Amino acid sequence: MVPIRLWRLPKQDFSELMGYFRAVYRADERSPRSLHLTAEAIAMNPGNYTVWHFRRLILEALNVDLHDELNFLDNIAESNTKNYQIWHHRRWVAQKLGTDAANKELEFTRKIISLDSKNYHAWSHRQWVLQALGGWEDELDYCHELLKEDVFNNSAWNQRYFVITRSPLLGGLKSMRESEVNYTVEAILAHPENESSWRYLRGLYAGDTQSWIIAPQVSSVCLKVLGSRINFVFALSTLLDLLSHGFPSTQAFRDAVDALRVPDDNQTDSNLAKTACLILERVDPIRVNYWLWQKSKLPQ
Amino acid sequence: MGELATEKHVQYILSVEKKKDDFQSVVMEHLRMNGAYWGLTALDILGKLDTVDADEVVSWVMSCQHESGGFSGNVGHDPHILYTLSAVQVLALFDKLDVLDVDKVTNYVVGLQNEDGSFSGDIWGEVDSRFSYIAILCLSLLHQLDKINVEKAVNFVVSCKNMDGGFGCTPGGESHSGQIFCCVGALALTGSLHHVDKDLLGWWLCERQVKSGGLNGRPEKLPDVCYSWWVLSSLIMIDRVHWISKEKLIKFILDCQDTENGGISDRPDDAVDVYHTYFGIAGLSLLEYPSLKPIDPAYALPVDVVNRIRLGKRHAI
Ligand SMILES: [Zn+2]
């Protein structure tokens, strides 16, 4: 959790202001004066949800131009990017403005994401904007842009999956699969230690295990990474997954896995999956029990 | 490895409760109900709940209830489901659920369920799978789960499941340990854990343990004590907790203590707060650290409190 950012204001002034706020709130005075007071109170403590609630009531009563409200939010958002209230308020305003707001909201989240590429609120807001207001056209490119910057960005991978499975402009997972597999394989080869890209690859075959085990790109990326003999944990666990689903291994895989053994691994096993588990137990000791479990469920 | 500075933490929590007037407290006053739940549950786990005046707490909690049946984070604020659950949990800690007008609270929560089965946090309509868990837990504690459409509620939670086995805040939202805890908890409380791909999720969760022994909330993020709770409780609910290194996690949490003034921080050497103090202690309880009361991973309350409530149900029938 992040510490709350505050204006450096003497406690006295803050208490006084909150005193005024409580007075208009209790009197339910939905006036320009009250609106102004909520702005001041929010500036000092944007976490106070009651102030936001009251502000919405006032905005509705006074029929304020909500474009101004978005500008107001822009000004306080950057220093409060993890505040639930601000994001929720923003969604409330954007919803009222409708498709008009789509571009501004995509632009805005892009700005926040450029400051904090894994900001959960910003991503959540962006997904809502796409689904409720539209603007899917450039989204896949946007994901690519972010992954080019940081291929370990799990939020960007997630968004990519969101786009290929949900964009009305693309044909869905199956029709995107081939190009996405190629894209992902490239990302994996650049950084085989990247959990996100491996999970994305597996996700491209969600609900279609048959295609997963026969896909030549999948087995070949495993083999390439295993052959490099560094950062191979995810490649080896993927091979394990393939084997558990009936992937027919070849001598090339056997050789690649054998080459990963160290002299200490005196336990050799004719079973490839079992050897893979033995290696994973050694190279990923913090999760040794997980790999032991993987080994235990292999057919004896 | 150091030990848990129990006495210091008790003093720290009590001091936070008393400090109503300093600047930080004034700014946090709107979520005091959450703070009360964190602090008091931590005290209970440490076996020191009797150091607080129960009547005083209960009357303050009740003064936060609104006509709608919901509770606010403090006197003079608006009701929200977040604080309604904390209020019910605090009353449960003190075995004072009988002061509640159960129908009234139930109606408030039931009224927040949407057509698609999801729950809003309050009248303003923000939807999040966290609120599904909160609503389901709140009604479970009151033995009123049958008052909502459970099937639809479960379907919404399941719709937040991702291809990596985790769950997000809404359908398509990125998997996040906090959201996973809420979704797995909601499914556990409704007897729907068969919707979870336990092996896949278990692996994702145990990948959250980093070299220092701490747990992070998502890939490539820093470890944080509060994730000890979110990840651990999820792993326990799906029966995969032995997949992480408990010893290393215990050491990480203990390293986050302020052994001079009490309290636990998110990471070693950061400033302590009551939120991370609670999650650190609750995490240690899940890890079966000596002399701590066991806590229930789905109810987020001490096991004896949960048993008391379950027993109460049997009597009611
Ligand atoms: Zn934290």
Side-chain angles (χ1 to χ4, degrees):
Chain A
M1 215 160 79
V2 279
I4 293 177
R5 283 169 198 267
L6 301 167
W7 277 16
R8 291 277 154 246
L9 214 88
K11 190 193 123 199
Q12 215 61 38
D13 292 6
F14 181 51
S15 305
E16 200 181 312
L17 176 72
M18 289 313 289
Y20 287 135
F21 168 76
R22 269 189 285 275
V24 293
Y25 170 72
R26 263 199 300 270
D28 198 14
E29 179 193 310
R30 304 182 192 186
S31 66
R33 181 177 76 161
S34 302
L35 187 66
H36 182 72
L37 268 176
T38 60
E40 300 240 316
I42 284 166
M44 278 192 243
N45 181 13
N48 188 324
Y49 69 102
T50 302
V51 179
W52 286 104
H53 287 189
F54 191 47
R55 186 172 175 87
R56 285 193 278 278
L57 291 174
I58 301 168
L59 288 169
E60 279 179 336
L62 299 182
N63 222 345
V64 174
D65 180 355
L66 291 175
H67 291 96
D68 293 343
E69 187 65 4
L70 281 185
N71 293 333
F72 164 73
L73 289 171
D74 283 353
N75 289 330
I76 51 167
E78 267 181 54
S79 48
N80 295 284
T81 59
K82 292 194 177 167
N83 174 304
Y84 278 100
Q85 279 75 34
I86 296 181
W87 286 104
H88 177 216
H89 189 73
R90 203 169 174 107
R91 184 176 304 190
W92 180 81
V93 173
Q95 192 153 29
K96 288 195 172 269
L97 289 172
T99 47
D100 274 6
N103 279 337
K104 181 162 171 50
E105 292 313 282
L106 291 175
E107 197 78 3
F108 174 76
T109 47
R110 185 188 272 263
K111 189 163 133 203
I112 300 299
I113 290 166
S114 75
L115 302 170
D116 172 9
S117 63
K118 295 168 192 168
N119 185 300
Y120 203 81
H121 303 274
W123 280 112
S124 174
H125 187 69
R126 193 171 177 94
Q127 291 194 344
W128 173 80
V129 171
L130 290 167
Q131 289 186 310
L133 312 177
W136 292 93
E137 295 76 12
D138 303 323
E139 199 61 10
L140 201 58
D141 288 342
Y142 178 52
C143 295
H144 173 58
E145 212 177 283
L146 288 171
L147 290 173
K148 218 166 49 182
E149 227 165 81
D150 174 16
V151 76
F152 292 90
N153 184 345
N154 193 61
S155 304
W157 282 107
N158 183 71
Q159 184 72 353
R160 195 174 179 97
Y161 199 76
F162 178 80
V163 175
I164 63 161
T165 53
R166 293 173 198 254
S167 167
L169 310 178
L170 304 171
L173 180 59
K174 258 204 172 132
S175 69
M176 294 298 291
R177 189 182 282 156
E178 196 176 328
S179 57
E180 286 302 288
V181 169
N182 292 334
Y183 182 85
T184 312
V185 162
E186 210 175 297
I188 287 174
L189 289 174
H191 291 278
E193 72 278 29
N194 187 353
E195 176 181 351
S196 303
S197 49
W198 283 101
R199 291 198 193 276
Y200 186 84
L201 182 68
R202 184 67 179 94
L204 292 173
Y205 294 90
D208 190 358
T209 308
Q210 207 43 43
S211 302
W212 167 243
I213 57 170
I214 61 167
Q217 299 102 310
V218 174
S219 50
S220 87
V221 72
C222 283
L223 193 57
K224 273 188 196 154
V225 174
L226 293 173
S228 76
R229 297 168 65 180
I230 47 164
N231 296 326
F232 56 79
V233 168
F234 291 111
L236 201 49
S237 71
T238 301
L239 173 62
L240 204 53
D241 182 62
L242 288 169
L243 291 169
S244 75
H245 288 105
F247 168 72
S249 71
T250 60
Q251 192 57 42
F253 278 95
R254 254 178 271 277
D255 295 343
V257 172
D258 269 342
L260 299 174
R261 288 173 37 236
V262 293
D264 288 8
D265 291 339
N266 43 16
Q267 290 171 280
T268 54
D269 204 283
S270 55
N271 182 313
L272 181 59
K274 202 166 170 190
T275 310
C277 289
L278 290 170
I279 294 166
L280 286 163
E281 285 162 33
R282 173 175 52 83
V283 298
D284 190 24
I286 206 164
R287 275 165 283 277
V288 63
N289 286 336
Y290 174 69
W291 303 117
L292 284 170
W293 169 81
Q294 283 279 3
K295 191 171 69 183
S296 74
K297 67 174 189 148
L298 295 173
Q300 293 305 306
Chain B
M1 175 159 58
E3 288 196 353
L4 184 66
T6 302
E7 218 24 73
K8 300 261 185 190
H9 296 320
V10 171
Q11 291 315 318
Y12 168 73
I13 293 165
L14 293 174
S15 76
V16 171
E17 267 302 290
K18 285 194 190 88
K19 254 191 291 176
K20 281 175 206 156
D21 292 324
D22 77 356
F23 193 55
Q24 194 64 16
S25 309
V26 173
V27 168
M28 304 285 276
E29 58 104 22
H30 65 275
L31 48 74
R32 193 153 171 255
M33 191 66 78
N34 285 160
Y37 161 72
W38 296 326
L40 295 167
T41 309
L43 282 181
D44 200 9
I45 298 169
L46 294 168
K48 294 287 161 66
L49 191 61
D50 54 5
T51 52
V52 222
D53 182 340
D55 292 339
E56 199 185 306
V57 176
V58 170
S59 77
W60 171 74
V61 167
M62 293 311 291
S63 70
C64 295
Q65 192 176 23
H66 292 250
E67 213 22 64
S68 62
F71 286 77
S72 46
N74 205 336
V75 179
H77 284 271
D78 291 338
H80 194 284
I81 199 167
L82 281 166
Y83 310 114
T84 304
L85 173 64
S86 286
V88 171
Q89 285 174 313
V90 168
L91 294 175
L93 284 176
F94 291 109
D95 196 12
K96 286 282 164 53
L97 284 174
D98 53 352
V99 305
L100 280 178
D101 179 341
V102 171
D103 291 342
K104 207 169 161 181
V105 183
T106 304
N107 286 340
Y108 175 74
V109 177
V110 169
L112 293 173
Q113 189 171 30
N114 302 307
E115 195 40 49
D116 64 356
S118 66
F119 281 84
S120 300
D122 61 14
I123 54 163
W124 293 102
E126 183 182 11
V127 168
D128 187 318
S129 54
R130 288 182 306 146
F131 303 147
S132 297
Y133 165 72
I134 289 169
I136 287 169
L137 175 51
C138 195
L139 295 179
S140 300
L141 290 169
L142 302 173
H143 306 306
Q144 301 292 319
L145 198 53
D146 57 328
K147 300 295 190 299
I148 53 160
N149 188 326
V150 174
E151 193 187 337
K152 276 190 170 183
V154 167
N155 287 344
F156 175 76
V157 171
V158 172
S159 75
C160 298
K161 185 162 78 170
N162 291 317
M163 49 84 171
D164 55 20
F167 294 81
C169 61
T170 46
E174 184 184 2
S175 294
H176 178 290
S177 304
Q179 306 287 158
I180 291 171
F181 161 77
C182 289
C183 291
V184 172
L187 296 175
L189 292 167
T190 52
S192 317
L193 280 175
H194 56 278
H195 289 293
V196 181
D197 187 339
K198 294 179 185 150
D199 296 336
L200 185 61
L201 175 60
W203 181 41
W204 190 91
L205 288 168
C206 76
E207 282 290 336
R208 305 284 56 81
Q209 191 162 35
V210 300
K211 280 214 173 69
S212 66
L215 299 162
N216 62 20
R218 287 182 276 165
E220 298 293 315
K221 300 281 279 186
L222 291 171
D224 181 328
V225 158
C226 62
Y227 291 109
S228 316
W229 170 265
W230 311 121
V231 175
L232 260 184
S233 52
S234 304
L235 280 168
I236 291 173
M237 286 188 273
I238 63 170
D239 201 18
R240 301 289 184 277
V241 72
H242 53 290
W243 286 358
I244 60 161
S245 166
K246 290 188 182 186
E247 298 71 30
K248 287 197 164 184
L249 181 55
I250 290 174
K251 183 179 180 317
F252 177 81
I253 298 173
L254 293 177
D255 284 346
C256 294
Q257 299 182 98
D258 179 339
T259 47
E260 293 224 336
N261 303 308
I264 298 175
S265 55
D266 57 354
R267 276 181 280 286
D269 303 322
D270 279 359
V272 303
D273 59 64
V274 72
Y275 172 86
H276 288 95
T277 304
Y278 160 65
F279 283 115
I281 292 169
L284 289 172
S285 164
L286 289 177
L287 290 160
E288 298 168 312
Y289 191 87
S291 73
L292 294 179
K293 265 199 195 183
I295 186 165
D296 184 285
Y299 285 83
L301 284 168
V303 168
D304 62 341
V305 173
V306 176
N307 286 342
R308 191 165 64 208
I309 290 167
R310 288 207 181 125
L311 203 68
K313 186 183 188 180
R314 222 176 296 150
H315 282 302
I317 296 167

